[in-house]
Amino acid sequence: MNIPWSHLWEKFKLQVFEQGGYHTILDGLKNTLIIAIGGFIIGIILGAVLAILQLLPNNKVTKVLRGFAKGYVGVFRGTPIVVQLLLGWYVLKPILGIRSASALLWGMVIFGMNSGAYVSEIIRGGILSVDKGQMEAGRSLGLSYMKTMFKIVLPQAFKNSLPSLGNELIAIVKETSVAGFISVVDLQVAFKQQDTAYNPIICYLMLALVYIVLVLLFTALIKLIERRMRASDNR
């Protein structure tokens, strides 16, 4: 079957550039970046807390905290992000009586909570990769367990975990394509709205291209950060 590529491209240009469809695409790009970057920041903070909770010295109190952290990780790693979005938007939000939160904000929070489960395992591995002597040295200087963790161990753990954290950021960028399930106009929804006037082939090829460019940009940024951190270590 011969596909009239030039005809499809002309319809795409007409819809997107001449009829203003690019405004929707730019809004979708903005929303995708807000969810991805905001969710990743939430995931970093939450993941660090969960990782530390799982590695606390064992006693009656910390046993409960460790159990909570492991349960949290198990639930969010064991269920699809789509299910979490739908449960959060249609079940948890009404139960909590939250009315003012937009779908965009709620999506960012859910993605952050999901990412926190994966980031916690990444950071936990990074903490375990730090020599135990670092903790012992901090404690010998009179620092508490938590101060030693935050001032000495955790910075090294983040540095060791940077490549994996970068992969998690890229994963979030791609996973935001399901944010439309709770009425967020992300990139996927924005491009889908443009396929009403022409064959969707060009539309979804362009969508794939935009995601590829985003992933390449984030990959380059992560590699730049890694190089600068290695350079600082060699000084």
Side-chain angles (χ1 to χ4, degrees):
M1 180 179 68
N2 294 324
I3 301 176
W5 291 104
S6 60
H7 180 63
L8 296 178
W9 176 248
E10 288 301 321
K11 284 189 173 183
F12 177 84
K13 289 195 298 182
L14 176 65
Q15 175 77 9
V16 174
F17 297 106
E18 296 182 23
Q19 297 182 2
Y22 69 92
H23 291 294
T24 304
I25 292 175
L26 290 177
D27 286 339
L29 175 61
K30 179 190 70 175
N31 292 340
T32 290
L33 291 175
I34 288 173
I35 293 174
I37 297 174
F40 183 65
I41 293 172
I42 294 172
I44 289 283
I45 298 170
L46 183 58
V49 172
L50 291 170
I52 292 172
L53 289 180
Q54 293 185 69
L55 296 173
L56 288 173
N58 198 15
N59 58 52
K60 290 183 179 180
V61 176
T62 58
K63 189 175 182 180
V64 175
L65 295 175
R66 291 169 67 179
F68 167 79
K70 290 179 180 179
Y72 181 99
V73 171
V75 168
F76 277 88
R77 293 181 69 187
T79 53
I81 182 62
V82 173
V83 175
Q84 295 165 19
L85 282 171
L86 294 175
L87 285 174
W89 183 251
Y90 292 108
V91 179
L92 185 60
K93 185 171 178 267
I95 289 176
L96 296 177
I98 300 174
R99 298 180 180 179
S100 59
S102 65
L104 178 63
L105 176 61
W106 195 262
M108 182 181 70
V109 171
I110 296 298
F111 270 93
M113 293 174 68
N114 174 273
S115 178
Y118 292 91
V119 169
S120 70
E121 293 300 288
I122 294 171
I123 295 179
R124 187 170 70 89
I127 292 173
L128 293 175
S129 70
V130 176
D131 191 287
K132 292 182 179 180
Q134 297 291 316
M135 175 61 74
E136 295 172 357
R139 298 304 299 275
S140 67
L141 292 173
L143 298 176
S144 66
Y145 177 88
M146 295 305 294
K147 282 188 177 181
T148 305
M149 177 63 73
F150 278 100
K151 291 186 176 182
I152 299 176
V153 177
L154 203 56
Q156 297 179 65
F158 271 112
K159 187 178 294 186
N160 296 341
S161 305
L162 187 58
S164 297
L165 291 174
N167 290 336
E168 173 62 15
L169 174 59
I170 291 171
I172 295 177
V173 171
K174 293 184 289 185
E175 288 173 353
T176 56
S177 61
V178 302
F181 277 84
I182 59 171
S183 304
V184 175
V185 180
D186 66 316
L187 268 176
Q188 186 270 141
V189 173
F191 271 96
K192 187 176 181 179
Q193 291 179 0
Q194 309 308 312
D195 72 5
T196 56
Y198 55 89
N199 191 297
I201 294 176
I202 297 293
C203 173
Y204 293 119
L205 284 175
M206 293 301 296
L207 173 62
L209 179 61
V210 173
Y211 274 116
I212 290 171
V213 171
L214 285 177
V215 168
L216 290 176
L217 289 174
F218 279 116
T219 300
L221 177 62
I222 293 163
K223 289 183 177 179
L224 176 63
I225 295 173
E226 288 180 7
R227 284 198 298 269
R228 289 193 174 183
M229 294 184 76
R230 284 198 298 267
S232 65
D233 288 341
N234 295 330
R235 290 177 183 174

